[in-house]
Amino acid sequence: MNGMIKFGYLIPLLPLIGFLINGLGRNILSKKAVGIIGSGVLIASFVCSLFIFNQVAAVGYKTQVLFLFNFIKTAGLDIPFSLQFDQLSALFLLVITGIGSLIHIYSTAYMHEETAPHFARYFAYLNLFVFFMLILVLGSGYVTMFIGWEGVGLSSYLLIGFWFGNNNYNNAAKKAFVMNRIGDLGFLLAIFWMLSQFGSVTYTGVFEKANTIPVSVLTGITLLMFIGAMGKSAQIPLYTWLPDAMAGPTPVSALIHAATMVTAGIYMIARSNALFTLAPISQNVVAIIGISTALLAATIALKQNDIKKVLAYSTVSQLGLMFLALGVGAYTAGVFHVMTHAFFKALLFLGAGSVIHAMHHEQDIYKMGGLKTKLPLTHFTFLIGCLAIAGIPPFAGFFSKDEILTAALNKSVVYYILGVITSLMTAFYMFRMYFLTFHGNFRGTDDQFSHVHESPFAMTLPLILLAALSVIGGWVGIPAVFIENGHLLADFLEPIYAAVQHESTGMHLSHSMELIMMAVVVILIIVSILAAKSMFAKEGLKEEESSTFGKMLENKWYVDELYNSIIVQPVNHISSFFSRIIDTKIIDGAVNGVGKLIHFSARQMRLLQSGQVGSYVLIMVISIIIFFIFQMFWKI
Amino acid sequence: MPITEILFWALSAAAIIAALLVIFSKNPVHSVLWLIVVFFAISGHYVLLNAQFLAIVNMIVYAGAIMVLFLFVIMLMNMNADQEPNKSKWMKIAGVLSGGSLMLLLVASLKNSQAIAGGGDAGIGLIQQLGKTLFSEYVVPFEISSVLFLSAMVGAVILGKKEKNLTEADSTN
Amino acid sequence: MPINYYIFLSICLFSIGIIGVLTRRNAIIIFMCIELMLNAVNLLLVAFSRMHHAAAYAVDNASLVGAEAQIFVFFIMVVAAAEVTVGLAIIVMLYRNIHSVDINFLNRLKH
Amino acid sequence: MNAIIISAVWGVLMMYSGFLFKSNRNINLLSILGVLILIGVTFHEFASGMPLLLIDTKGMLFHSNFGLVFLLIILVSTLIYFILSGKDIQLAGKSSSDLYALIFFILSGIAVVAGFRSLLMLFIGIEIVSIPLYVLAGSDKSNLKSNEAALKYFLMGSFSTGLMLMGIALIYGDVGSFYLDAFSTGFGVLTPLKAAGLLLILASMSFKVSAAPFHFWTPDVYDGSPSVFTSFMATIVKSVAFFAFLTLFDFGFGKMHDQWKTIVAIITAFTLIIGNITAVFQQSVKRMLAYSSIAQAGFMMLAIFAINTFAKQGMLLYFAGYSFATLGIFAVLTKMKDHSIDAFNGLAKSQPIIALSVLISLLSLAGIPLTAGFFAKYYMLLAVIREGNMMWLVILAVLCAAVSVYYYFRVIQAMYFKASASETALEFDPNFKWVMLMNAILIIVLGIHPDLILNLI
Amino acid sequence: MFAAVDNFPALLIWLPLIGGILSFFLNDAKSAKSSAIIFSASSLIVLLVSLNFTAKEFIALNQVSYEWLTSIGSSFGLYLDGLTRTMALLTAIVFFVVFILVPADQYKDANRFYGLLLLAQCGLVGVFLATDALVFYLFWELALIPVYFLSSIWGGEKRIRATFKFFIYTFIGSLLMLLAILYMYNKTNATSFGLGAFFNLKTTADEQFWLFIAFFIAFAIKMPLFPLHTWQPEAYEQSPTPVTMVLSSVMVKMGLFGVLRWVMPLFPLAVKQLNTAIMVVIAIGIVYASLVAIYQDNIKRLIAYSSIAHIGLMALGMLTLKEVAVVGALLQMFNHGINILALWMIAYIIEKQTGITSISKLGGLAKSAPVLAIFMVITALANVALPLTNAFVGEFMIFNGIYQFNKFLAAFAGLSIIFSAVYTLNMIKNVFYGEANSTTIQFSDINKTQVLLFTVLTVLIFFVGFYPQPFFDLFSDALGLVLTRYNS
């Protein structure tokens, strides 16, 4: 153990300390103090992460594990609590603490309307989230990952339901938690399976033996893990919680439901690439689920009017693309997209937050319009974000998305085509939102319009920084088409995949072919942006949706209703049936029935006691007769 | 057929018939009288069995004292007429059936017993022998039975003493 | 004379007594039937006494075997006398209270 | 042996005490003195192994240690009975001295039963116990219920005596002797004569201990008799009947155990079921206790079924635990006008000490640990388990014990959890309270340390 | 110091017993309360001191046996090993908390209330410590009776019926157990009731089958396991909440403890024969209870069903016979005691102030009682076994064992993880979140003492969740007898 890594535990510890201070001192601390502490610990953590990254990035760096203590060491279980510092975790560290810091700073302004205790509570939750997220990515084994995994779920639950006075928000929080739990159960089962197969749940312990395990077992394990990832990263069928999660404060959506937590599933699969690579069936499942989710969410996003909902579905869609990347074996591409997506999606959310802040919590884009002039900075950064997500070169999204599409093409044309369609839709709905929000005429009340103003510096600073990152963030992964060996990220992450032999199947494209396809896609994207502009830049009021298809989209394919009728309602009915009928009538009825039976027989039996001497003697005589027969003639 | 056997059958028949008449007589006084007949028949059997002392005692105590007491009580209650309402028919049938089957069962289970062997007798049934045995071997139970009599006596006195104010202290049970 | 005959005879008497107890309602008659049962027992005991004595006499002609049964009969008579005293006292007491000795009227106590 | 004489003599003394003392209190004291003397004498016989007066009974009576301990338990119960219920005896009849005399005569009979080794003694002993009881049952002459109870008891008791005598006669016919130790001649094979006799005696003994289906007299007689004598019948007399039962089937028919135990098991099962289940429905505590006495008899029948060391030890413990507890409850019941369960409502508030004592008594009857009743039941169960091959009987017994909790706890619920409806609180003599408490403590002590009795034998 | 150590087991019995009896003679409610606190605190201190010794040096000193009922071969044997120390610690904590929590003036005849509670503590500790089957049985009943009285005297409207059902239900079970004990005693030739003597008996598979059933029914009723559970919601609902705390924190553990201490070592053949079938039933019961809990509107009933599910899970873990699950279940017994104690405290505080137990009539408490809400959330998280809370460690190990036993069983039982989240969050949502109504708006937050108690429990929750290793060290000697016969 050398260098900064000795102190690696500080990275998660600092946010934890922040959480404790803010949480316990919430009635004492002023808002300013809370803001400083909350953001300060994260910035400190970020600085530490920078040092760590620096060390990890050095040539010839070997993965280091920082052992803290034995979590469970008994009865054949040996689960240490230790942190692993390698390229993957270092990268995630930077993203989490970096964007986390920005969002903390942003929040100090955004949440300023809250009273001090609630303000402190907010920062405490946020710090807690970062703590768990760091545990998730730093943990050196699946159990540690799981601790963080459920922890972020908890923080997400707490933050979605932050305004607990509103029961819709609480329901959204509950939904998020429960859906995550469904996934978590899968993950947990995967852990148990691994424990029984590998006898260990540390990454090193597992990956070492991965080659010796039958493929069927690996398939099972990886599929169960993927169920966990579905829950956390909002993939079909467990994606419906994420749009609802927009009930939380917008910075939370930016941090948790866009930039970091929801990418935990990608992290998990990227981390377990050694297992997934050996289980092609699982990979295919991942890819199929990924691309389906991407498409589905994109279609829904086309018709959403809530600014945050659009972003939420876009997140789901982008996450689907990342899974596609993982599914086709392009782990680097997946991780790359995580990173760029973190930049521009955080930017977009914060921008949306800025708009919402300015509009006094109005989120319907049909009630906005023409905000370009009022919010120049927000508008500018938001535009960058949109361009980045649409995949216009040289913005960040272009590079990562392109890499995914290329990898998809390598695997199957279908993936590629569907991926392209998704990208086109993405560009379309993002710019629909952009134009509806910032162009055209203001559609709200005049009173609202007069109050619209640019956000304070604490909010615009993160926007600017993130906008910058959205521009340059992709340059770490320039494909070989442009610059040979330009893919710094791939080189950086290479050791993570060392254990796996890259087997490239399918066709290999020549550079020229690749360039052409790239150009075609970009042109198509631009066309769809223009289409959006023509349709929405001057758009007036919202039209009533007439086509069935449009209604379907507007109502999100009725998936929530479907779930409600095939899962939620049945469970409630079964529950009530069990409680009212089975428990009280049948089981307890049987118990009470025994008592009633005794009562009944008591009532009957006491009729024998007729009070008549004659019948008493008669019964005596008859029983003597029976005893005689029994004793004398019943020779058994 | 030796005379003892003839006597046996005659006495047995008398005893059983009289016994049946005891239970089937409507008039309690008749029952008492028939019961006395039974006792006489049994005393006859005692004589046949060389239990002369018991034969006498049976006549004196049972037929003489006890049955007179019964008769006395019946007379006291003025029950010489037939005034007993019939018990329900089923009860009677059940009673006869069960009593009869008990008899059959006992007979069936005891049918394989041995005969009385020999005919000799050291005269144990005579008063002299019995007296000796009673006051040597059985003096303790004899003395103890005095307690029995004492308590019976006290009991009869307690129950017989006249008490005034009869109250129907009969509440619901 | 086989002992069976005596056994059967006394069982007959005994059973008749039982039948009487079962079929009659008059407490005094029932009591008399019980006396009949006791007499059946007495007869049986005497018969057995005779039987055992005869068997013992064949071995030892001064044997007193069998006397105990006759003593027992004697005690039964004693007890019967005592019982009759108390029993009749009870019946008389009851008669004084309800002017009946019908046992079917004894139904205040039940269930 | 000495107890027989002394109690008989004391009975006579009590008879005349009515002339000597005008105060009922003195009569009561005299009776207590008599019991104390009896206890002293019996204890002396037990401790020294020699009675004060040595009388040759020709082997018809033999007071073993077992019998003497039994007698001691009975005498101690009687002492408690006299102390707790002395006043009520005087209320039951005008001539309390005569009633005391009868009780002493019964004690004399009990002493006979405690040592019988001959059927003749058994017969006389049981009759000495029974005949005064017929009188006691009817001692409330003006009460029709009491009359009825007396006649029922008398008729059925005589009937069962007839059955027993027939049984004795048949057995005599087979073995030619009335001595118990002669029964097992012929290598313990049940000849038809012996079997018939055994069954008849079994029926009549079952009647005496109120085992089903010969139990029918019990509820009616217990209910109809004056409570103070019900208490005596249900405890002391029942113990005696069981002791006779046990001695007879142990010494007399013990060698033939295998041939009659099935029948006894059936009787036991019937008794347990009928006693416990019928008690559930009773509204009157007195009648409930009558059924409970049947139920408890069912448990004691387990000892008859098993007849082994555990059974005999446990039987003594059972006598003690059952008698003390039942005497306590009856003593309270006697002092209450209303015998329904509701009459106990709120007793814990108005009379905490009485309620506590009754509570402990009830717990003991239910067989809750740390009361004498627990170890009593424990021994019964253990005895049957030791006997083997009859697990169904044990399980049945246990389930019935659970049912018994139901009706005993109804009284507890009334006392502790329900509020009293009536304004007038029951009044109890302070001395009575303390004796009740002592009785309860005795039950607890036996429950914690049953060795006190067990080590005696 | 060491001289006193070998009296620890006896002290743990005597302290509450003396305190309990003493309490009946105190007329003043305040002094009764303080005496109860003193006696339970002394128990707690004795236990905490005992935790300072390592397992090895402790056992030598703490396997004591006093002469009692020598004529029948029973002796007053007590044993304080890792398992029993944990359970006794739980007992001591729970009673201590209850005594501090319940104000002296809340119940009439407070001296009796405290006295009976102390007697119950005595019985419970006795159950855990006894090594002699007869003593075990006696304490088993002794623990039941005071609780019966407590619930029946101070309980809710339908208390008499509900608690009586509870009493008779458990009584039937314990009688069956008594039979089995007697049977085994008879097998030893009527010489000993000792656990060791029973352990060395040669019993056939057939005998074990029946003995197992007798024991297990008693324990299953106590836990309670589906479908023998219906007494529990009623009893919990009707009992005064402090008594419910004792009932569900400690008393239900008697059953689990019994399985560990008596059933598993003594009847290995029967356990192996029957465990699969029983586990299937238990697993169904877990899911069933979780589902039923979703429907409940009464807080107390909800917690009761939640408890049924959790207890079932522990029983499931034990029956897998996997060491990891057994250790997990052991730890979870302690954890569950702490967690549910905290849950009941919350229910108690709410009920005491508002008089409402219906979830739908509450709401918005987080506004008026933020501190309580925080503790509620923490407790709820522990209840759903979130990582870094104590229950996670236990349930993780239990599930791990179940998984090793059978994958599908684990997956099925795992559904309860999801359902538990549903009903727990529902409860939080409907009680603490949302709009406040006229009753809840006036709710005043918890006082300093309560905060202190909750803090202690919370610290325990997180300590065990974060660093459970000390407990595993404590258990190192506890499983010796339990699993030896299964490993070979």
Side-chain angles (χ1 to χ4, degrees), chain A residues 73 164 171 174 575 583 588, chain E residues 165 229 288 291 305 429 434:
Chain A
K73 189 179 168 93
F164 54 76
N171 285 334
K174 199 183 93 190
S575 162
D583 214 51
D588 205 27
Chain E
K165 187 169 169 182
H229 65 278
Y288 170 85
L291 278 170
Y305 280 105
K429 189 188 90 180

Side-chain angles (χ1 to χ4, degrees), chain D residues 252-263:
Chain D
F253 303 118
K255 293 249 172 62
M256 296 151 253
H257 185 198
D258 287 340
Q259 293 159 72
W260 51 259
K261 70 179 185 183
T262 320
I263 291 274

Side-chain angles (χ1 to χ4, degrees), chain D residues 395-417:
Chain D
I395 292 170
L396 177 75
V398 155
L399 293 178
C400 285
V403 174
S404 80
V405 167
Y406 180 79
Y407 51 84
Y408 290 130
F409 271 56
R410 279 177 68 198
V411 181
I412 296 180
Q413 286 169 352
M415 290 193 303
Y416 278 87
F417 314 142

Side-chain angles (χ1 to χ4, degrees), chain C residues 7 10-11 14 17-18 21-22 27 30-31 34 37-38 40-42 44-45 48-53 65-72 75-76 79-80 82-84 86-88 90-91 93-94 96-98 101 103 105-111, chain D residues 119-121 123-124 127 131 134-135 138-152 154-159 161-163 165-178 193 200 219-221 223-225 278 282 287 291:
Chain C
I7 295 178
S10 59
I11 286 175
F14 190 78
I18 289 179
V21 172
L22 290 174
I30 291 175
F31 192 19
I34 291 170
M37 287 162 67
L38 294 188
V41 172
N42 286 351
L44 187 59
L45 273 171
F48 279 135
S49 151
R50 169 83 185 128
M51 177 185 89
H52 287 303
H53 181 75
V65 170
E68 68 273 11
Q70 301 205 9
I71 301 279
F72 204 112
F75 277 109
I76 291 176
V79 169
E83 252 183 19
V84 168
V86 171
L88 287 179
I90 291 172
I91 290 173
M93 175 181 72
L94 189 75
R96 271 199 285 191
N97 283 350
I98 62 173
V101 287
I103 55 162
F105 293 157
L106 299 179
N107 55 4
R108 279 174 191 77
L109 300 165
K110 60 181 177 186
H111 303 318
Chain D
L119 289 178
L120 179 59
M121 278 303 181
F123 171 59
I124 293 179
E127 284 305 310
I131 289 179
Y134 303 147
V135 178
S139 61
D140 191 357
K141 283 183 285 178
S142 53
N143 186 338
L144 290 180
K145 279 189 173 180
S146 175
N147 293 168
E148 183 181 333
L151 186 60
K152 274 185 179 168
F154 170 72
L155 285 179
M156 297 179 76
S158 314
F159 182 76
T161 305
L163 291 180
L165 286 173
M166 193 60 174
I168 290 174
L170 290 173
I171 284 174
Y172 175 76
D174 192 62
V175 300
S177 169
F178 293 111
L193 268 179
L200 286 171
D220 293 1
V221 172
D223 195 11
S225 306
T278 321
Q282 300 304 322
R287 218 172 155 78
Y291 282 105

Side-chain angles (χ1 to χ4, degrees), chain B residues 4 16-17 29 40 43 46 51-52 55-56 61 68 73-75 80 83 96 99 106 117 130 133 144 153 158 171:
Chain B
T4 48
I16 289 173
I17 289 165
V29 178
F40 272 100
S43 285
Y46 288 169
Q52 297 86 347
I56 301 300
V61 174
V68 167
V73 169
I74 288 171
M75 294 301 197
N80 50 356
Q83 50 180 217
V96 173
L106 279 167
L130 274 181
T133 320
I144 290 175
M153 200 174 72
I158 291 177
S171 54

Side-chain angles (χ1 to χ4, degrees), chain D residues 234-248:
Chain D
T235 55
I236 292 159
V237 175
K238 173 161 288 204
S239 306
V240 173
F242 260 111
F243 186 81
F245 205 162
L246 187 71
T247 314
L248 183 59

Side-chain angles (χ1 to χ4, degrees), chain D residues 17 22 74 83 108 118 165 219 221 244 269 280 285 316 322 356 369 371 447:
Chain D
S17 69
K22 285 286 158 263
I74 290 297
I83 298 175
S108 173
S118 156
L165 286 173
V221 172
V280 165
V285 174
L316 290 183
Y322 169 70
L356 181 68
T371 60

Side-chain angles (χ1 to χ4, degrees), chain A residues 26 69 71 73 77 150 164-165 170-171 174 177 181 192-193 195 575-576 579-580 583 587-588 591-592, chain E residues 165 227 229-230 234 288 291 295-296 305 370 384 387 399-400 403 417 426 429 433-435 465-466 468-469:
Chain A
R26 64 205 192 97
F69 57 87
F71 183 51
K73 189 179 168 93
L77 270 187
E150 287 237 299
F164 54 76
N170 294 327
N171 285 334
K174 199 183 93 190
F177 194 87
R181 274 246 141 172
F192 295 142
W193 204 339
L195 263 175
S575 162
S576 120
S579 179
R580 285 182 302 111
D583 214 51
I587 297 179
D588 205 27
V591 174
N592 293 334
Chain E
K165 187 169 169 182
H229 65 278
T230 49
E234 265 179 73
Y288 170 85
L291 278 170
Y295 183 74
Q296 300 307 314
Y305 280 105
V384 301
F399 269 112
N400 193 7
Y403 187 86
I417 294 184
N426 260 340
K429 189 188 90 180
Y433 294 164
E435 291 299 325
F466 218 85
Q469 208 59 38

